[in-house]
Amino acid sequence: MRIFFVTSNEAKFREASLVLKEFGINLSIDTNHRKVEIQSDNLEDIVSNALRGICNGEVSDYFVVEDDGLFINKLNGFPGPYSSYVYKTIGLAGILKLMSGVDDRTAYFKSVVGLCGPKVDIKLFTGVVYGRIAVEPRGTEGFGFDPIFIPDGYDMTFAELGIDVKNRLSHRARAFRALGNWLLSNL
């Protein structure tokens, strides 16, 4: 089975491809569609709206869209769905400055993966991983907030753990694994 991932993020594509390969599913980047993101505090709404724009008629292929965010408890869930923008504007240093002197460093990453296609209107899959915010960036692998997120049960950041470990426990891997399991059972 082949699915098209509507994304311009090569790192997300690589992670998702490795997970879906476990299920015998071939993931390809879709260059014909553009993921339109509405402004919303709700990842499910963002993904659903993007998929409605892609599968807004008769389609013969299956498409996936993914959106995610870093939710920091002490910052009332900030940056959440605005993580990409926050990363581009204030970066890791800005988040760490906001967390300066804060004892409660708990946070979680949440990913929502959506599917649409010929036999599926819109189906959503969610993955969450809990952890905490590091005091300083650590590691060189990964992307985005990986250098400052330490998943529960580990003392290293996602950027230190590398893609193989990250893909066993990350929010995105969990959401794509849920998609893979659903596809094997339903299509």
Side-chain angles (χ1 to χ4, degrees):
M1 170 175 249
R2 184 163 115 175
I3 296 177
F4 292 94
F5 190 0
V6 182
T7 185
S8 59
N9 188 321
E10 293 278 339
K12 282 185 180 186
F13 173 74
R14 189 167 38 111
E15 289 180 6
S17 293
L18 289 172
V19 171
L20 290 181
K21 189 178 277 188
E22 298 170 16
F23 299 90
I25 297 168
N26 180 24
L27 193 64
S28 299
I29 286 187
D30 180 296
T31 56
N32 297 321
H33 295 90
R34 196 170 73 85
K35 177 184 168 194
V36 177
E37 287 190 25
I38 60 169
Q39 293 298 306
S40 174
D41 293 333
N42 184 292
L43 293 172
E44 290 81 0
D45 290 345
I46 295 167
V47 170
S48 294
N49 186 73
L51 286 172
R52 279 192 290 276
I54 295 164
C55 290
N56 62 350
E58 202 168 306
V59 293
S60 57
D61 293 309
Y62 289 94
F63 298 93
V64 272
V65 167
E66 188 265 357
D67 203 45
D68 62 273
L70 173 65
F71 296 78
I72 301 171
N73 294 326
K74 194 64 175 179
L75 301 179
N76 297 319
F78 181 81
Y82 309 104
S83 292
S84 179
Y85 175 75
V86 169
Y87 180 78
K88 289 175 190 170
T89 55
I90 66 172
L92 300 175
I95 290 294
L96 292 176
K97 186 173 183 176
L98 290 172
M99 295 298 292
S100 178
V102 173
D103 291 331
D104 178 7
R105 302 183 78 79
T106 58
Y108 64 94
F109 267 121
K110 178 179 179 182
S111 170
V112 175
V113 171
L115 171 75
C116 66
K119 297 178 183 174
V120 179
D121 183 24
I122 291 176
K123 181 81 177 155
L124 302 179
F125 306 89
T126 302
V128 177
V129 63
Y130 295 93
R132 63 191 183 283
I133 302 300
V135 176
E136 62 187 11
R138 300 188 330 233
T140 58
E141 295 194 42
F143 63 99
F145 291 113
D146 287 354
I148 63 169
F149 185 79
I150 303 168
D152 282 351
Y154 292 82
D155 292 323
M156 296 189 296
T157 66
F158 272 160
E160 292 173 302
L161 292 170
I163 192 168
D164 290 336
V165 175
K166 182 182 177 188
N167 256 7
R168 285 199 312 262
L169 55 111
S170 81
H171 54 301
R172 186 172 301 105
R174 290 176 181 188
F176 273 99
R177 237 174 235 108
L179 167 66
N181 281 317
W182 187 88
L183 287 168
L184 288 183
S185 298
N186 293 281
L187 292 185

